[in-house]
Each structure stands twice: as C-alpha cells, then as structure tokens.
Amino acid sequence: MSSDRIKIVWIYPDLLSTYGDQGNTIVLERRAALRGIPTQTVSLRSDEPVPADGDIYLLGGGEDRPQILAAQRLRGDGGLARAVQSGAVVFAVCAGYQLLGHEFGGEEGQPVQGLGLLDIRSTRGEQRAVGEIVGDVAAELNVPRITGFENHQGVTHLGPNARPFAQVVHGVGNGDGFEGAYRGRVLGTYMHGPALVRNPGLADLLLRWAVGRDLQPIDDSWAGRLREERLNAVMG
Amino acid sequence: MSDLPLRSQLAVALGRTAAKMSRLAGRGDGSVIGGRIGLRLDPELLTRLAKDRKLVLVSATNGKTTTTRLITSAMTPLGEVATNAFGANMPTGHVSALASAPGAHYGVLECDEKYVPMVLRETGANVVALMNLSRDQMDRAAEIWLLAGKWRRALEASPQSHVIANCDDPLVTWGASTAKSVTWVAAGQHWREDSWCCPECGGPLDRRDTEEDSDWACRQCHFRRPRPDWTLKGDQITDPQGRVFPLTGLSLPGRANRSNALVALAVVAQFGVPPEQALPLLAQVTSVAGRYTTVEHQGRTMRLLLSKNPAGWLEAFDVLQPAPGPVALSINAQGPDGRDTSWLWDVDYRILRGRPVWVTGERRVDLAARLEAAEVSFTVVDDIDQAVMSVPPGHLDIIANYTAFQSIRTRYGRVV
Ligand SMILES: [Zn+2]
C-alpha cells in the first residue's frame, strides 16, 4: 500500500463489465471501510492510461469483441504488467481471467494474444457452462469454500507457473476439475460478476495482500446467509 | 385466411383448440401452446398467416410490451389489428396472434430481440421498431453486441422493411443502420453503461448532453448519431415536418413511457395516422399486462411495477412516489427471471435511502446483501402479504422481477 489508503483500479468498465462486476468494487470498498481503511476507486475507461500506483486491479467479464479490444489496449498500454511486477494485487473474472493468460479464443475460436500475466491458455469449449459453481480453494490461500455463478464457454489450461485456485466440487470451471488460477497476487476465476459478494473470505484475502497484514473480523451476517443459502441450494 | 392451404387451416384450428383448453385449465392465455401445435403441423404457418397483411415488429430489451400496446391502440382507426398482447413474443405467440384475428389487415407483433432475424425473414414485416439494447439476464439472453450484428444482417436482407429506430442508443443505431430506409427517433437513453464504446470500431464514444439535445459520436471513426426525424424534449414532441405536439395526456407514468409513446407515434405515422389522431388513443392505455396497475387491498393502494434488468430498475425508480413513500421489492430467479442474480449489483439502490423498504421473493437474501452494501435500511419478510400489512394504509409501490411480479399479480387480482 503506497499511502494510508487502498487504491482500487477498476479496469475498463466500458469494455469489461457485463454483469454486476461493479459488485467486487463495492464489496472491497465496504469491507475496507468497516475496518477504518479508506479506499480510492478509479473507474478506468479504455482510452485512459493504466495508473501504476494501484493496490488492487479488478477486471470483469465481457463479450468476445470487447474482450479482444481490452486485451489489445492493455498490451499496448503496459501499465498493468508494470503494476504486477511491483507487487500489485489483480483479481480478474471470466473474460478478464482469460485475457490475463498467454492467449484465449476469439469470436470464431481464433487464438488471440493475451497479457501473459498468468501462465494459462484458454480456448473455446464445445458447450457453454452456465450455473452455480462450488470449489475448495488451494490450502495455502486459507480461504473457505467458494460459491459463485459461472457463464462461459472457455476451457483453460494451466502451465507450470500457475496454480489452480480451487478444486471444483460442483460446476465446470477450467474444464479439468479445477477452477481459476493464481500466481503470487494475480488471481483469476470463472465465477463471474460480483464473485466477492458470496465469498467475503476471498475479498479479505485481496485486502490482506494489499495492506500486508491481518484484518479484524467484521459482521458478515447477510453475506454469510447468502453463502449458506447458495451452498445449500447446490449441495443439498 | 380462407385462402390458406387446407393443412394450414387445420393447423390454425387445432392450435386454437389447444389454446382454449390451456386457458380453461388456467394455464395463462394459451397462445404459446396454440402456436406451437400450429407450427408443428405447418412449419410455414407464420409466413402464410403474415401474407397480405401490414405488420409491425417491435423489439428492444425494455418497453416492447408497452410499446406494442401503444402502437396497437393508435392503429385502431385503420381497422382490426392482430397483436400478441400478452407478451408471448416468439414465433409461437406470433402464430397465435395472427391466427386468432383472421380478418385483421394489420398486425403489431412484440418480438424477442433474438427472434427479430427469423421473424423478419418469415413475415417480411413492413415496419420494424427498434428501441434499446442493454444487458439483460445473461443465462437466457444473447450478448447484445452480437445481437445488434444479427439485426444488421437481417435488415440488409429485408429491403422492403422500413425501420423506426432510437438514435439515442448507439448500439440500436448501429443495428438499424444497414436498413434501406430508417426513421430516426430521439427517444432518449437513460441506462448508458452498455454504450461507452463505438459498435463500429470499438473506439471511445464521446457523449454530450444539454438541455436542448443529446448527442454522441465516435472519436475514432465516422460513426455518429444520425439526425433525428422525431424528437422529444420534456413533454414536447416534434415530428418530421417540424410540427410540435404536447405529450401531456399519457396515462402511463415516467420518462420511459414518454419514449415508448414517441416511438409509437413514429410507427403509426408510417401508416398514415397523424399525431393529433394518435395521441388521444395513446392516452387510453392505462396499464399493460398488469404493469402500472393499482390494486386495492386492506386499505392499501399498491402499484405494481415490473423490472427485469438494470435499465428496467432505472425506469421503475423514475415513477416511484416521492420519498419517504414505502417500497416493497420482490426478486425471484426462476427460468424466465434468469437464474443468476449478479445484475442486482448493476442497479444503484442508493436512491431508496430514507424510505421504508421491504424485501421479499425467493432471492430476498441476495437482495438484502445488495441493499446492505448500498447502505439502504430494509426489512426482510417471508412474503408480499407481510410487507403489505406492515405498511400503514395508503400507497405502496411494489417493484418485482418477472415471476415475482406474476405471483403478486395472481395474489391481488389479475387486472389487465
Ligand atoms: Zn468508431
């Protein structure tokens, strides 16, 4: 954290914000505020340069064409890669997750070059994965079971330098029994939209990475009830 | 109708019987099942039923049911008009609507956004009204950029169709601009989160809004807002001849309905019904499939508002009683609602601060988490009755999404 507040950079909501992605920004702001940590959020349009001094960068979901445009502009800009090198936190969902990798599938399934910030490659699958997803998170991250909604047609293969974020308990995820990927503080997931809403533990992981210390517990009653309800709906 | 081939006549008759049985069994108006049976017996049925009629297709993410109703009302001077008044907006519903009005020379068909290309191909509709495109429930709706591209190809292949399109929506403008002839209507755009990028080249769109006008243009390419033929400023409508009409007598509330009315005026003008004749007919529409309806129950006057997506919520907020008027919200996530509630996070609920807010529906916990994050005070109740009985006698606005709306409507009387 560069100063006494967390700077959140929401990357390209004009391209990558199909469906409730704003929720992740709201959840991070609120969970920080409840602990007395001020935040500053920048909604960065795709014609603006990516600032280097962000603490947490968020990337949302998008349709094929906007995803390709976002990848091109972020590659041309280079700011996100520099921020990652200096230790920034990146949380990316769905189309944003795919474009962090070496390449992903475009409208016609053609390979499109990504940012190479995660050692993953994505292609277009045969079937669209739509529905609830549940997974058990890699032990070293110390985050409880995740619950989310996925809606994508991607299949993602992890290279040796990326670790799977979670093991799928219900749903599809990357397509090989695992869900999402991370390396260092760069984390991507197929849980689309406001993934942090149902997963306050994951939101706190990102905040912990940003501030570099443990955080005091806060009242999670509604998020907790929502988690429980969704997990019960799927797992019975 | 009588010149339909025998097989088609049979298909129509059997479809009608099935629809009637479905109605008697209390399963809605039966138009979907009737149309399905008709189409199964004669796959060309829609084309045959459309032949020799003047048809209007109405499509948009929001407002298509209401606008269909407004156009139908304003077309009554022309004679009988076939229409799918109950929102059955796919080909099965279109077949039912046309089959049940065999003598109608005109038809106004609400059309699901995805079905515009297919229905256009099968009916060769004379007029296509396109109003807005925004994010909708994504597990059932198509991606909108892709959708607008399909509209382009369909309209290019249908040169006989005249398009009435909202030029304040960049994606609709792009979707309509391959048509051979277009009337541009400045119907406004309130939800803008899906149109910051140029649909043509992906460049940034610059937008300018003044009291007088609203304009947009791509910074990188030639794509820009066309000059509107019809405009709406406050309550003043200007037609293509420059004549000005006040849009004051409308019974349906809110700016979204003023936009819908403007589109309706442009459509019926295409058939020779002038605004001065159409306006009083628009005013006669007071509720649409239960929406905007007021129902009385135990001394409470409840107004039912349907909101299915973020743009729809903006429209509902626009017509709420002033604060601190109480509001009840009900959210489900069944098939027709979309099974994913992520869209709640695209709606800015802070506007509800300072009102008593009741929260119910099958996904009330999702909504509670959303409102808590927006710092809106709320009370969660198990069903709508609890909310209704908790407010003092007087007015209560109820906003609900699709299946939640239907169940509230059933509970308090199916007023159409
Ligand atoms: Zn452009």
Side-chain angles (χ1 to χ4, degrees):
Chain A
M1 199 158 69
S2 45
S3 60
D4 54 349
R5 47 153 183 71
I6 299 179
K7 182 168 178 177
I8 300 169
V9 182
W10 183 14
I11 301 270
Y12 300 172
D14 53 338
L15 291 173
L16 299 175
S17 164
T18 37
Y19 213 51
D21 295 285
Q22 178 181 226
N24 294 327
T25 312
I26 296 172
V27 167
L28 289 175
E29 286 169 349
R30 183 161 168 79
R31 297 187 72 80
L34 287 172
R35 293 164 168 124
I37 306 169
T39 54
Q40 179 206 358
T41 299
V42 179
S43 293
L44 189 80
R45 281 184 53 168
S46 61
D47 56 334
E48 298 171 322
V50 179
D53 61 344
D55 298 296
I56 303 178
Y57 293 80
L58 298 172
L59 291 94
E63 297 183 23
D64 295 329
R65 265 185 76 188
Q67 181 187 23
I68 294 169
L69 284 168
Q72 284 168 351
R73 286 179 199 171
L74 285 170
R75 273 164 40 78
D77 178 273
L80 186 60
R82 285 192 294 277
V84 167
Q85 268 167 18
S86 50
V89 178
V90 178
F91 179 65
V93 311
C94 219
Y97 165 44
Q98 293 183 339
L99 69 79
L100 288 184
H102 301 298
E103 62 179 39
F104 57 92
E107 296 122 301
E108 316 289 338
Q110 79 278 17
V112 178
Q113 192 175 1
L115 305 184
L117 298 176
L118 270 179
D119 186 15
I120 59 170
R121 280 168 206 281
S122 303
T123 54
R124 266 175 105 83
E126 295 289 303
Q127 275 185 333
R128 211 168 168 82
V130 183
E132 297 280 331
I133 180 166
V134 175
D136 286 327
V137 177
E140 67 165 348
L141 296 179
N142 197 19
V143 168
R145 174 170 274 195
I146 49 159
T147 157
F149 195 91
E150 61 182 333
N151 184 352
H152 63 96
Q153 203 167 344
V155 173
T156 295
H157 311 276
L158 273 59
N161 293 318
R163 291 184 186 176
F165 168 53
Q167 184 155 18
V168 174
V169 177
H170 177 94
V172 178
N174 295 338
D176 61 354
F178 292 99
E179 179 341 78
Y182 70 103
R183 187 194 192 186
R185 295 170 169 189
V186 178
L187 197 156
T189 174
Y190 271 121
M191 294 189 291
H192 90 162
L196 300 180
V197 172
R198 295 189 200 172
N199 299 293
L202 178 56
D204 284 354
L205 172 71
L206 304 179
L207 291 172
R208 254 192 338 261
W209 277 346
V211 300
R213 60 177 162 82
D214 282 343
L215 302 165
Q216 76 223 53
I218 52 175
D219 176 18
D220 270 335
S221 42
W222 282 112
R225 272 183 67 175
L226 179 58
R227 261 184 83 68
E228 207 176 311
E229 186 184 289
R230 289 295 95 212
L231 285 169
N232 283 339
V234 174
M235 310 304 293
Chain B
M1 178 79 189
S2 55
D3 56 0
L4 284 179
L6 196 60
R7 184 182 178 81
S8 309
Q9 288 189 37
L10 185 68
V12 166
L14 283 175
R16 215 178 277 162
T17 307
K20 193 171 174 191
M21 284 169 65
S22 172
R23 265 197 305 279
L24 290 174
R27 298 172 172 229
D29 77 319
S31 53
V32 172
I33 178 80
R36 192 175 297 153
I37 286 176
L39 277 172
R40 193 165 300 160
L41 289 173
D42 179 5
E44 311 270 305
L45 192 54
L46 182 54
T47 306
R48 293 192 219 277
L49 287 168
K51 194 167 167 276
D52 300 327
R53 301 204 222 210
K54 293 195 184 332
L55 291 185
V56 183
L57 300 186
V58 182
S59 199
T61 305
N62 287 313
K64 50 188 180 287
T65 306
T66 303
T67 307
T68 298
R69 181 67 177 274
L70 290 169
I71 295 169
T72 306
S73 182
M75 276 176 51
T76 47
L78 301 171
E80 193 191 350
V81 181
T83 186
N84 50 344
F86 295 93
N89 62 16
M90 294 186 252
T92 48
H94 302 148
V95 161
S96 273
L98 296 176
S100 59
H105 291 293
Y106 293 89
V108 183
L109 300 178
E110 172 188 340
C111 188
D112 181 280
E113 307 88 280
K114 292 188 296 297
Y115 283 91
V116 167
M118 176 184 169
V119 176
L120 196 55
R121 200 166 55 237
E122 302 211 346
T123 64
N126 305 71
V127 173
V128 183
L130 304 171
M131 302 180 296
N132 55 71
L133 278 176
S134 70
R135 61 188 70 185
D136 203 352
Q137 310 318 320
M138 289 215 341
D139 58 310
R140 63 175 170 78
E143 299 184 335
I144 53 177
W145 205 333
L146 211 64
L147 197 61
K150 289 180 181 163
W151 285 4
R152 283 171 73 80
R153 289 190 287 282
L155 290 171
E156 198 167 14
S158 191
Q160 79 288 356
S161 303
H162 182 80
V163 175
I164 312 281
N166 179 8
C167 62
D168 286 332
D169 186 317
L171 199 51
V172 166
T173 302
W174 187 67
S177 56
T178 54
K180 193 150 185 219
S181 61
V182 186
T183 300
W184 297 110
V185 178
Q189 187 193 36
H190 309 297
W191 171 264
R192 295 191 168 174
E193 301 310 313
D194 296 306
S195 41
W196 292 113
C197 282
C198 172
E200 179 77 25
C201 77
L205 284 184
D206 289 322
R207 308 194 65 143
R208 186 175 56 83
D209 290 289
T210 63
E211 289 269 304
E212 278 303 290
D213 205 7
S214 142
D215 198 8
W216 53 263
C218 177
R219 204 181 297 165
Q220 284 175 9
C221 77
H222 61 91
F223 189 62
R224 59 177 307 132
R225 179 177 182 254
R227 230 180 90 85
D229 302 296
W230 293 75
T231 60
L232 173 65
K233 282 165 198 155
D235 286 330
Q236 297 267 301
I237 282 175
T238 308
D239 79 356
Q241 286 74 45
R243 298 184 305 159
V244 176
F245 300 90
L247 183 59
T248 43
L250 215 56
S251 307
L252 299 177
R255 58 190 182 190
N257 283 318
R258 290 199 292 278
S259 301
N260 295 337
L262 180 70
V263 171
L265 289 175
V267 169
V268 299
Q270 198 64 26
F271 293 104
V273 182
E276 53 269 45
Q277 192 179 10
L279 278 164
L281 297 165
L282 299 184
Q284 287 173 11
V285 179
T286 53
S287 85
V288 178
R291 303 165 202 190
Y292 312 107
T293 299
T294 306
V295 288
E296 302 284 335
H297 182 77
Q298 305 260 357
R300 278 79 175 172
T301 304
M302 297 171 279
R303 189 164 48 161
L304 307 186
L305 301 166
L306 174 72
S307 285
K308 299 184 284 194
N309 48 41
W313 280 83
L314 273 190
E315 293 167 7
F317 290 156
D318 181 52
V319 302
L320 290 182
Q321 292 287 105
V327 183
L329 312 175
S330 184
I331 298 296
N332 286 355
Q334 297 179 17
D337 306 310
R339 288 177 292 133
D340 177 20
T341 56
S342 299
W343 58 272
L344 291 171
W345 293 85
D346 284 323
V347 180
D348 190 352
Y349 286 100
R350 289 176 298 181
I351 195 163
L352 297 179
R353 285 178 186 167
R355 295 172 184 265
V357 176
W358 277 269
V359 169
T360 189
E362 292 160 5
R363 297 301 285 271
R364 52 191 177 274
V365 179
D366 290 73
L367 188 52
R370 175 69 190 97
L371 293 178
E372 185 195 40
E375 296 175 53
V376 173
S377 315
F378 58 89
T379 309
V380 175
V381 288
D382 291 338
D383 57 49
I384 193 71
D385 271 343
Q386 282 186 30
V388 171
M389 297 320 290
S390 306
V391 299
H395 190 94
L396 171 66
D397 284 316
I398 301 178
I399 312 180
N401 68 345
Y402 194 75
T403 64
F405 181 88
Q406 298 306 344
S407 79
I408 294 169
R409 220 180 130 198
T410 308
R411 170 70 185 83
Y412 295 114
R414 293 181 71 90
V415 190
V416 176

